Amino acid sequence: MNIIRVNHPQLTRRQFLNVSGISSIGFLLGGCGTPLFEDVVGKLSEPLNQKVEALLLNPQKPVPEFSISEIQPEALLVNSFRYNPIIDQAKYRLIVDGEVKNPLNLSMADIQALPLTSMIIRHVCVEGWAAIVQWAGVRLQEIIALAQPQSNVKYVYFKSADGYYSSWDIASASHPQTLLAYQKNGETLPVENGAPLRLASPVKLGYKQSKWVTQVTLVSQLSLFKGYWEDQGYEWFAGL
């Protein structure tokens, strides 16, 4: 008798979420810059899969990084929401507000005076491509700490100079490898990649990593508007 052995593939975390129905709107993901189903609008103020996905994310566990020799300079594709805004760095200000005790209005000089953190991580786009990039800037957790958020803060909104907006859970925003970056691959961040300041993190998909960030707002509850792509059906948590 011949025995036929069937090898069952191992599911990744994201595949598990999709097939189990936890990521109920994952099929709507269309790309970092290409919209699909733009008429689909999220109607719940708090994502249904948030608690489940949060259990799979250790908010303080470092993600393994790469070596300098593994950086892929040409692999990071440029996806723009509408256009690439040109920002005068001398006039630039980062506003940090919301449910905080100490609202901030920071210049680039203020931000660059904070400790510099560098990391080499994989940037993952929902379109199916990825790039190993070296980002450097200030840990977002340091900015959050300076603003002194109230104890009930659970979410962070990000507003960009081109009108883009998104929101994160506070645990991911406070991850030690979540940066407000102003350098890429050892050089000043290019405009097309989000200068003067952009989000960079190994714990979120690319469309969560806002470019040209001008405002960070800490809140205890999400509004009906959770993010540009999220409001059209994209997964809100989008963790890796």
Side-chain angles (χ1 to χ4, degrees):
M1 180 177 64
N2 294 326
I3 298 176
I4 299 175
R5 189 179 303 276
V6 178
N7 293 321
H8 296 282
Q10 296 295 315
L11 292 180
T12 65
R13 187 192 76 90
R14 188 165 304 284
Q15 289 170 331
F16 166 75
L17 292 175
N18 287 333
V19 300
S20 64
I22 294 172
S23 182
S24 59
I25 55 177
F27 71 94
L28 293 175
L29 297 177
C32 296
T34 304
L36 283 183
F37 304 103
E38 289 196 290
D39 58 332
V40 178
V41 179
K43 295 179 175 63
L44 298 177
S45 62
E46 183 170 347
L48 291 175
N49 63 343
Q50 175 193 343
K51 292 182 179 179
V52 177
E53 294 216 37
L55 290 175
L56 299 175
L57 170 69
N58 184 332
Q60 298 304 318
K61 183 179 180 180
V63 176
E65 298 184 17
F66 298 86
S67 66
I68 291 179
S69 63
E70 294 175 288
I71 294 173
Q72 300 168 312
E74 305 302 321
L76 184 66
L77 304 182
V78 176
N79 281 321
S80 297
F81 163 58
R82 288 175 179 159
Y83 60 94
N84 296 341
I86 306 299
I87 300 173
D88 185 345
Q89 293 203 26
K91 297 179 180 179
Y92 173 84
R93 293 294 185 274
L94 175 68
I95 304 300
V96 184
D97 59 7
E99 298 173 44
V100 299
K101 299 175 183 177
N102 183 39
L104 304 174
N105 186 324
L106 302 174
S107 67
M108 280 306 298
D110 295 329
I111 294 167
Q112 291 171 347
L114 296 170
L116 178 69
T117 297
S118 178
M119 63 183 183
I120 302 175
I121 59 169
R122 179 178 280 115
H123 177 96
V124 181
C125 180
V126 75
E127 288 176 339
W129 59 267
I132 296 174
V133 185
Q134 181 181 34
W135 304 106
V138 60
R139 285 190 176 98
L140 180 56
Q141 64 177 212
E142 296 192 35
I143 299 290
I144 292 173
L146 288 174
Q148 301 176 30
Q150 297 177 12
S151 59
N152 60 343
V153 164
K154 295 173 61 179
Y155 308 102
V156 185
Y157 274 91
F158 300 97
K159 180 180 178 181
S160 299
D162 63 343
Y164 193 80
Y165 63 100
S166 187
S167 59
W168 289 33
D169 58 293
I170 188 66
S172 298
S174 300
H175 189 280
Q177 290 165 292
T178 296
L179 304 183
L180 283 171
Y182 50 84
Q183 292 181 12
K184 187 194 89 169
N185 295 337
E187 299 180 353
T188 300
L189 185 67
V191 170
E192 62 268 22
N193 293 128
L197 208 60
R198 64 161 294 150
L199 283 167
S201 178
V203 302
K204 293 292 187 186
L205 285 170
Y207 67 87
K208 301 294 286 189
Q209 300 184 38
S210 302
K211 298 184 285 188
W212 309 292
V213 175
T214 58
Q215 187 171 356
V216 177
T217 302
L218 291 91
V219 296
S220 57
Q221 293 185 331
L222 287 175
S223 73
L224 289 177
F225 302 99
K226 298 184 290 292
Y228 178 78
W229 292 117
E230 296 89 330
D231 293 343
Q232 299 178 52
Y234 281 40
E235 182 186 0
W236 175 79
F237 193 83
L240 293 171

